[in-house]
Structure formats: C-alpha cells, structure tokens
Amino acid sequence: MEKQTNAVGRRKEAVTRIFLSKGDGKITVNGKDYKTYFPLVYLQNQVEAPLKTVESTDKFDVVVNATGGGVKGQAEATKLGIARALIELSADYRPALKAAGLLKRDPRAVERKKPGRKKARRSFQFSKR
C-alpha cells in the first residue's frame, strides 16, 4: 500500500481533514471534484496554491473531508491542510510554503455579540425625539 499522509486545516468555523497520497493530481472534496464543490475561481486557486507553490500539481491525489463554516472558510482551511500534509510528506517543501505564507493559521473569527448592542459593535439606532 502506498504512503498516505493526513493533516488538519482550520479557518473560522470550518475544519478540513486532508488525505494526501501519490497520484495524478485529483482533488476531491466531500466526494465531489473540487471545481464542482468550490465553483468560484478564486476559491479553486486557494485550494491549488500549496501544490502550485511546490510545483507538484500532478504528483499527488488529495481527498478532503470538510465540515462546518462556509465555502470560503472551507477553501482556506483546505489550503492550510494541504500545506501541512506536504510538509509531513517532505520537509524540503517547508521553506517555499513558509515564504508564500501558506503555513499560517488565520486567527480571525466572528466577534461575539455584546449585550445592549444590535451586533458585536453596532448599537441600536438613536432617536433624539
């Protein structure tokens, strides 16, 4: 059996499990082709970014299990997961991925709603009279 590497990517509320193995460049997300799952081109580019950075778009097959969050969060979580899986496979990829900023977990998340406010920071409309 061929060697399979797995890693986890997270962004906002989205969590993705990545399974990377030698192959011919097929990327599958929740049983669908990634171009079907992420119809927007810029999200497809996010998913491809780590593989393009290390110039191995047609060397690995990627299987992704994505849960939680929205489409954009899942795409960015997939990007981080693939980058982490590539490093687990070969440490030689690390400098290129690090330089491209693909190993950073984006910590931004939705701010909680505060009491006495309409949203996190927005107050209710003020009426003078």
Side-chain angles (χ1 to χ4, degrees):
M1 183 170 157
E2 64 195 55
K3 189 170 184 274
Q4 185 178 357
T5 313
N6 58 327
V8 175
R10 293 188 185 88
R11 169 78 171 99
K12 291 178 162 188
E13 288 293 306
V15 180
T16 56
R17 287 204 323 271
I18 310 294
F19 301 96
L20 196 75
S21 56
K22 291 253 186 274
D24 53 359
K26 278 221 298 262
I27 303 175
T28 315
V29 184
N30 291 351
K32 295 180 186 169
D33 182 57
Y34 80 108
K35 290 191 175 179
T36 314
Y37 195 85
F38 300 119
L40 300 170
V41 177
Y42 83 100
L43 294 177
Q44 294 170 12
N45 292 339
Q46 292 267 319
V47 173
E48 295 164 355
L51 294 167
K52 281 183 179 167
T53 306
V54 295
E55 292 154 11
S56 56
T57 42
D58 51 357
K59 292 180 190 165
F60 299 108
D61 281 347
V62 183
V63 177
V64 182
N65 289 347
T67 55
V71 181
K72 185 173 196 283
Q74 288 185 354
E76 293 182 10
T78 304
K79 174 177 76 171
L80 177 65
I82 291 173
R84 285 178 172 174
L86 283 166
I87 284 179
E88 225 173 275
L89 208 65
S90 168
D92 305 341
Y93 295 141
R94 189 175 175 85
L97 292 168
K98 194 174 170 75
L102 296 170
L103 298 178
K104 283 198 180 113
R105 154 59 155 114
D106 193 336
R108 295 174 299 169
V110 179
E111 192 174 336
R112 78 174 198 88
K113 187 198 171 297
K114 318 290 185 316
R117 301 243 166 201
K118 198 175 176 98
K119 290 165 63 179
R121 298 180 182 209
R122 167 104 170 86
S123 18
F124 294 104
Q125 188 168 334
F126 177 74
S127 170
K128 212 172 205 174
R129 295 178 237 316

